[in-house]
Amino acid sequence: MTVANMTVADALLLALGIIAVGSGALVVTSTHLVRSGLYLVISLGAVAGLYLVLGAELVAWVQVLVYVGAVVVLLLFAVMLTRAPIGPSGDLDRPAWAAGIIGAGVGLGLAALLAGAYHWTIYPLPEPGTAARMGQQIFGAWVLPFEVLSILLLAALVGAIVLSRPDIGARRNAEADTH
């Protein structure tokens, strides 16, 4: 494909892919924990944009609601509640050359695997799903995994609150000592 044959969808896919990969690289190279979380929001938002361009609106909105809306907010709450350092952290400063070599090798290996598996063949798309079929699947076959995920997120939030409040454990120990 040449630049002259590029459609708007192709240009959007390319731009959103560059944003997703670039902000993903900033997530792992940033020494600021909060900035790393915000770069993760940008990366996940770009992936949701990729889903929108590809015509998977439901997956895009699930991406925004579940990952951007819940997981990243949970991460930022955990940072705030555990009183993690806001500024640059020496623990997050690792040599980047080893990660770059490994990441490039994995990326090239995956690209070769996908190119070899599909041989640039265009496959026909299945019929689009209806809201009734999606609702039947989500609230029928997939209701248990959604409930388990919500309990897991709630337990993580309660755990973060307990870890951030050392006076809760001290109060319980003091009550046990007086009895």
Side-chain angles (χ1 to χ4, degrees):
M1 178 189 316
T2 63
V3 176
N5 294 339
M6 187 177 279
T7 63
V8 173
D10 294 335
L12 281 172
L13 285 172
L14 183 64
L16 287 169
I18 290 170
I19 291 170
V21 170
S23 58
L26 288 172
V27 168
V28 297
T29 59
S30 176
T31 58
H32 293 270
L33 193 58
V34 175
R35 287 183 187 170
S36 188
L38 295 176
Y39 292 139
L40 182 61
V41 169
I42 294 169
S43 180
L44 294 173
V47 170
L50 288 169
Y51 287 137
L52 278 176
V53 172
L54 292 173
E57 291 87 5
L58 178 71
V59 179
W61 290 116
V62 167
Q63 170 86 11
V64 169
L65 290 174
V66 172
Y67 288 107
V68 176
V71 174
V72 173
V73 168
L74 184 67
L75 171 82
L76 293 177
F77 271 123
V79 167
M80 288 186 295
L81 290 173
T82 58
R83 296 184 183 103
I86 300 297
S89 176
D91 294 342
L92 299 176
D93 192 18
R94 304 269 195 268
W97 62 268
I101 291 172
I102 292 170
V106 168
L108 288 174
L110 285 175
L113 178 73
L114 287 175
Y118 292 106
H119 302 291
W120 303 105
T121 306
I122 297 175
Y123 291 94
L125 294 175
E127 291 186 31
T130 63
R133 283 197 336 223
M134 278 189 242
Q136 185 180 18
Q137 284 293 314
I138 290 174
F139 297 115
W142 291 97
V143 72
L144 185 63
F146 278 125
E147 292 300 322
V148 169
L149 180 65
S150 66
I151 291 170
L152 178 69
L153 291 173
L154 179 65
L157 184 60
V158 170
I161 291 171
V162 168
L163 287 175
S164 69
R165 300 278 315 267
D167 59 324
I168 293 175
R171 187 180 318 138
R172 217 177 276 146
N173 291 339
E175 289 173 2
D177 291 340
T178 59
H179 288 88

